Amino acid sequence: MKNCNWGIAGTFVCIATVIGTQVLANSACDANDSLTIISATDDGLFDDIYGPHNVIDGVTDPTSRWSNESLGAPKSVLLDLGAEQTLKGLSIAWYKGNERATRFNVEASVDGDTFTTIVGDRQSGGQTLDLEDYAIDPVKARYVRINGNGNTSNDWNSITEVVATGCGVAVEKPDQPVITEKLGSGLFGLDPAKTPGENFDLTGWYVTTPADDDGDGKADSVYENELAAGWTDPRFFYTDPATGGMVFRVTPAGAKTSKNTSYTRTELRGMLRKGDYTIETRVEGGYPNKNNWVFSSAPLSARAASAGVDGKLTATLAVNQVTRQGADGQVGRVVIGQIHAKNDEPIRLYYRKLPKNKYGSIYYAHDPEVGKETWVEVIGGRGNRIPNPDDGFALDEVFTYEIEVKGEADGDQIIPMLHLKIIRDDGTEIVAKPFDMRDSGFSVEDEFMFFKAGAYTGNNTSPEPETDFDRVIFYALDHSHDPAPEDGPALEMVAAVDPISTEPARPGVVFEDDFADGSRASGSESDSNWWTTSSSSAIEIATGSLGLVSGGSGRGIRTTFSPQALSEGQTLKATFDFNTPDTIGTDRDSAFRIGLFDTLGRPELEGDLSASSKQPNPLYDGLPGYMIDFDIGLSDPAAANINVRKHKQDTQGRLLGTTKGYQGLGSGGAPYQFEPKTSYTGELAVRKTSDGIEISGVLSKNGEVVSEFSHLDEGSDVNSFGMLAFHVNSKTFGSSKTKDTPDNGLDFTRVKVEVLH
């Protein structure tokens, strides 16, 4: 049996009666009376005192209303009926309902997760302050959601009272209303009075800034627990007082991750350990651990060892300022999001606005572990003189990006796919074509990933580096991953040293060759053997000098030595004294190259091995190492700098004869210009640090430094070196490419390699 009576708070209810042990459910519901609404809530971004609980207080006075501004997206008030009821009607009294019409729709749900539209998109009548009735086909519902999208006068959504009608079970109205916590007064509910760690969940991040407050010559970092507890820096990382957003400010003049590293940053690094400092940031050798994530295409051993599989980074932000001065190829560009791997980046997402353009472009670089870097333009272009991109983003314009890696099945193979979506504040989506990363070299056991977000400048050439800056404000930031497998085979971790040299390098001289014996062979313990890397005519020997014959062609020479596996804090330095010929070429960019490489135990490298663009030699492929190069005779001497490059897993078949197989890491140093018939000393050094490998280049004349530059290859696990090589491009030093003729190249008078501690 059932009894239907007026219940609490004027609600008409039908209650099932118990016959023995059986409860008879209400099978008919003919009444259409007022239903109890136990709470009304919203996203906490309501205006001032006009919270959502006001719509169910029985008062239609304008001072008792709900008001929430759309700001480009609908705003909702959620009503809880306290139990599943049969909903038949809804009445809404609109604030200023006699002056304007409000755009809205209504949805209903039984479980609060899945909603069905019960009143489609429409407008209120705009004629009355009283309740307006909206008929509904009877529907089972516990939750009712009213979605407003502004009115005919502005973007506000304001309701003074809501009444739901129907029938169902008895529900008691709470003595005290449920009050929605009001979020901050800034954008997206952020509080301008709170620190970034209070407005955002930063337990899974650490931050690096251009500060060097501890004086160690490197950019400072603040780790998860301190950051989440409220750390700020008013110079580089703080809360925007107007919007409550998280500000990342970076100047080219700041400290870098190492002294003279190419570019500065104020940037977060994802830390899946979330403050558990017993878990290392990264594992020696570049293997996944519980602080980092991997692709779903990685081996099961890597997935099980990681903290997550695949991943999605979502950020809402606005770029407020970009650099306006400096080299054409650098001005106005800033990296706003990344996936960083062990050595390279599956994606570096750039915003770039040229000084004369109204809008900025968005593009990204895919820097693989294997193969060449690829650039993908998404909005506008990345060129130095592109016209204004009409579909681009202005400074201060809010937008959202989503960077995601998802594995897609292709038969028995999982293909790692890179996805990028840009969302404007009006909801418009720009979706980049998915990028296939199956051949990028990341789906292996000794790779791992982490997200980065912030402001990583792409300009180190501004003439006013203290005041020319990039600033990016984030309003939302989140990253997520699929869970890692609970179990899998153990990682087959291999020591990150050369297999033929298991002992750490010992401080001291490795070799010092002054060519006094007039031979390119090793004549004593201090000598070294010298081999050709290009043409067999590249070497010319005389007592006291070793000639690199390169006047009219590009040629190279090299020497091998006992592999040096560096320990942390050790430096391998090559010093070379040389004399320039009578003739110096003009406009020879990056034309003098010096490199240190791991030989990977290849015995064939201890001999002459020619290579050219037409006849590449695969023995030069994939040798881990670095090179520096010098510019020769540039028409603008001020543009001459020292470049640092990293040898990649390329298939060029040439060692230093091309830069195509290298990743450019950075460039800098004081301007210089080579003079004819002059003696110089050069240095190439690699130092192993706790953060990676620092590569340094120095050029000196008469005992005084002319130019110097260094760069930290952050996270690098290259630490064994057994070969030094030199290369000079054609028409750079000298006018002849023939041996035993004047003016045919460089003459080295001393080459020294040593280990420093």
Side-chain angles (χ1 to χ4, degrees):
M1 296 178 63
K2 67 176 184 286
N3 296 314
C4 296
N5 296 288
W6 289 101
I8 299 173
T11 304
F12 191 78
V13 297
C14 298
I15 305 173
T17 22
V18 179
I19 302 177
T21 59
Q22 182 180 14
V23 176
L24 299 180
N26 178 25
S27 59
C29 186
D30 299 327
N32 186 24
D33 297 296
S34 185
L35 296 172
T36 298
I37 304 174
I38 66 170
S39 70
T41 57
D42 73 349
D43 60 4
L45 301 181
F46 54 87
D47 180 45
D48 197 19
I49 61 173
Y50 305 118
H53 61 280
N54 289 326
V55 305
I56 57 171
D57 63 359
V59 179
T60 58
D61 188 277
T63 60
S64 174
R65 69 178 187 272
W66 168 69
S67 289
N68 201 323
E69 191 175 13
S70 286
L71 294 176
K75 289 297 181 131
S76 303
V77 59
L78 180 68
L79 312 176
D80 183 354
L81 303 179
E84 182 179 317
Q85 311 282 30
T86 297
L87 180 67
K88 295 184 178 181
L90 198 68
S91 300
I92 304 173
W94 303 96
Y95 172 65
K96 293 187 177 181
N98 60 337
E99 301 176 15
R100 63 195 191 189
T102 298
R103 296 177 287 271
F104 75 102
N105 63 56
V106 182
E107 300 170 303
S109 172
V110 171
D111 58 8
D113 293 324
T114 303
F115 283 82
T116 302
T117 300
I118 57 175
V119 177
D121 292 340
R122 62 175 298 174
Q123 290 191 161
S124 62
Q127 302 293 322
T128 180
L129 294 173
D130 296 332
L131 289 165
E132 293 188 20
D133 299 328
Y134 303 103
I136 296 171
D137 292 336
V139 60
K140 294 291 185 181
R142 172 170 176 171
Y143 301 96
V144 180
R145 187 162 64 193
I146 304 172
N147 304 306
N149 201 10
N151 59 73
T152 51
S153 296
N154 52 50
D155 290 331
W156 284 97
N157 308 286
S158 300
I159 296 173
T160 58
E161 198 68 19
V162 176
V163 174
T165 56
C167 59
V169 299
V171 172
E172 184 174 353
K173 193 163 188 174
D175 292 335
Q176 299 294 327
V178 175
I179 303 297
T180 301
E181 180 183 0
K182 180 173 174 56
L183 299 181
S185 58
L187 284 177
F188 301 96
L190 301 172
D191 190 338
K194 292 183 177 180
T195 65
E198 294 171 313
N199 273 325
F200 296 81
D201 181 4
L202 298 181
T203 57
W205 302 91
Y206 82 69
V207 69
T208 298
T209 75
D212 180 21
D213 293 337
D214 58 8
D216 66 353
K218 297 191 300 182
D220 293 341
S221 293
V222 175
Y223 287 83
E224 306 100 285
N225 293 338
E226 185 179 357
L227 184 63
W231 181 89
T232 63
D233 184 332
R235 299 164 294 180
F236 304 116
F237 182 77
Y238 54 91
T239 297
D240 178 42
T243 65
M246 179 166 48
V247 178
F248 297 80
R249 181 178 178 272
V250 58
T251 63
K256 307 174 181 69
T257 51
S258 166
K259 184 180 180 181
N260 294 326
T261 296
S262 293
Y263 303 108
T264 53
R265 70 191 75 194
T266 299
E267 191 176 40
L268 294 172
R269 192 268 201 204
M271 303 287 280
L272 297 185
R273 70 185 186 183
K274 292 194 171 183
D276 183 355
Y277 294 164
T278 63
I279 300 174
E280 296 182 48
T281 300
R282 58 178 288 147
V283 174
E284 180 70 24
Y287 290 86
N289 71 341
K290 295 302 179 182
N291 188 47
N292 301 298
W293 57 280
V294 300
F295 291 173
S296 55
S297 53
L300 177 59
S301 57
R303 285 178 277 141
S306 73
V309 175
D310 289 343
K312 183 177 183 180
L313 174 66
T314 303
T316 300
L317 68 153
V319 179
N320 306 119
Q321 180 65 45
V322 292
T323 57
R324 298 172 53 82
Q325 302 177 75
D328 287 347
Q330 296 188 4
V331 66
R333 64 177 185 172
V334 59
V335 176
I336 55 178
Q338 296 186 65
I339 298 176
H340 205 294
K342 177 176 66 175
N343 296 316
D344 301 294
E345 300 94 17
I347 183 172
R348 293 192 311 273
L349 183 63
Y350 287 82
Y351 172 91
R352 187 179 195 194
K353 193 187 84 67
L354 301 181
K356 295 182 180 180
N357 287 347
K358 180 179 180 180
Y359 301 117
S361 302
I362 291 180
Y363 57 88
Y364 72 85
H366 174 72
D367 190 10
E369 187 70 25
V370 178
K372 300 178 181 179
E373 189 171 62
T374 301
W375 294 88
V376 178
E377 296 178 339
V378 182
I379 298 173
R382 70 184 187 97
N384 302 333
R385 296 176 179 83
I386 63 168
N388 184 59
D390 292 334
D391 59 345
F393 288 96
L395 294 177
D396 292 320
E397 185 174 353
V398 177
F399 63 94
T400 297
Y401 68 70
E402 294 179 1
I403 297 172
E404 185 173 17
V405 172
K406 292 191 296 186
E408 297 183 8
D410 183 6
D412 296 333
Q413 186 180 11
I414 299 296
I415 310 302
M417 301 297 294
L418 174 64
H419 301 268
L420 173 66
K421 181 190 295 184
I422 307 296
I423 308 170
R424 297 182 182 277
D425 63 358
D426 64 0
T428 304
E429 296 183 352
I430 301 95
V431 181
K433 180 181 178 181
F435 193 98
D436 188 329
M437 298 187 290
R438 75 180 79 191
D439 297 323
S440 297
F442 295 124
S443 302
V444 294
E445 195 174 51
D446 58 336
E447 273 290 356
F448 62 88
M449 307 290 155
F450 50 92
F451 285 124
K452 303 189 85 172
Y456 179 22
T457 189
N459 186 0
N460 62 7
T461 60
S462 175
E464 299 182 33
E466 294 286 353
T467 56
D468 198 18
F469 60 89
D470 301 288
R471 185 174 61 201
V472 183
I473 301 183
F474 280 66
Y475 301 107
L477 182 65
D478 183 53
H479 61 110
S480 60
H481 308 274
D482 293 334
E486 294 184 0
D487 195 18
L491 292 169
E492 297 182 9
M493 298 175 67
V494 179
V497 297
D498 193 291
I500 66 172
S501 176
T502 57
E503 295 294 326
R506 296 180 179 179
V509 175
V510 179
F511 75 83
E512 183 172 9
D513 202 338
D514 60 5
F515 314 105
D517 57 3
S519 170
R520 66 176 174 134
S522 177
S524 66
E525 288 187 3
S526 64
D527 279 356
S528 188
N529 290 297
W530 291 89
W531 318 105
T532 59
T533 302
S534 53
S535 167
S536 60
S537 301
I539 290 180
E540 182 178 55
I541 289 291
T543 302
S545 67
L546 173 72
L548 172 51
V549 181
S550 59
S553 61
R555 291 176 178 174
I557 59 176
R558 59 192 163 76
T559 182
T560 57
F561 50 87
S562 176
Q564 304 296 309
L566 300 179
S567 299
E568 187 173 318
Q570 287 187 321
T571 298
L572 182 70
K573 183 170 75 170
T575 306
F576 43 97
D577 298 331
F578 62 98
N579 298 321
T580 57
D582 293 344
T583 305
I584 304 295
T586 57
D587 288 327
R588 312 303 292 158
D589 183 54
S590 302
F592 181 24
R593 302 166 184 168
I594 307 95
L596 282 168
F597 303 93
D598 188 340
T599 63
L600 297 179
R602 297 174 183 174
E604 299 90 344
L605 293 172
E606 297 185 8
D608 294 330
L609 286 174
S610 65
S612 66
S613 58
K614 294 182 179 179
Q615 293 182 312
N617 194 320
L619 287 169
Y620 293 130
D621 287 343
L623 297 177
Y626 301 93
M627 82 164 175
I628 61 171
D629 59 59
F630 295 95
D631 301 320
I632 312 299
L634 298 187
S635 56
D636 178 10
N641 56 26
I642 301 174
N643 293 284
V644 175
R645 306 178 194 268
K646 181 179 183 179
H647 203 210
K648 300 173 67 174
Q649 293 289 336
D650 70 293
T651 56
Q652 300 294 323
R654 300 162 72 188
L655 189 61
L656 291 172
T658 178
T659 59
K660 290 182 179 179
Y662 289 79
Q663 173 190 358
L665 298 182
S667 61
Y672 57 87
Q673 191 163 23
F674 283 93
E675 300 173 0
K677 302 178 69 172
T678 303
S679 297
Y680 291 92
T681 296
E683 293 179 10
L684 167 59
V686 288
R687 182 172 71 94
K688 184 174 183 179
T689 74
S690 60
D691 297 321
I693 296 291
E694 184 178 33
I695 309 98
S696 302
V698 180
L699 180 66
S700 301
K701 184 177 69 171
N702 298 327
E704 295 185 0
V705 172
V706 175
S707 184
E708 61 181 335
F709 177 73
S710 66
H711 177 93
L712 177 70
D713 184 16
E714 187 176 5
S716 173
D717 57 2
V718 180
N719 73 319
S720 184
F721 302 88
M723 184 165 66
L724 171 67
F726 299 96
H727 184 94
V728 174
N729 282 359
S730 63
K731 301 178 182 179
T732 298
F733 291 115
S735 60
S736 172
K737 61 181 180 180
T738 305
K739 289 183 179 181
D740 302 319
T741 58
D743 202 29
N744 66 356
L746 293 178
D747 288 329
F748 293 94
T749 57
R750 184 183 69 106
V751 178
K752 178 181 179 181
V753 171
E754 59 187 322
V755 176
L756 307 175
H757 195 31

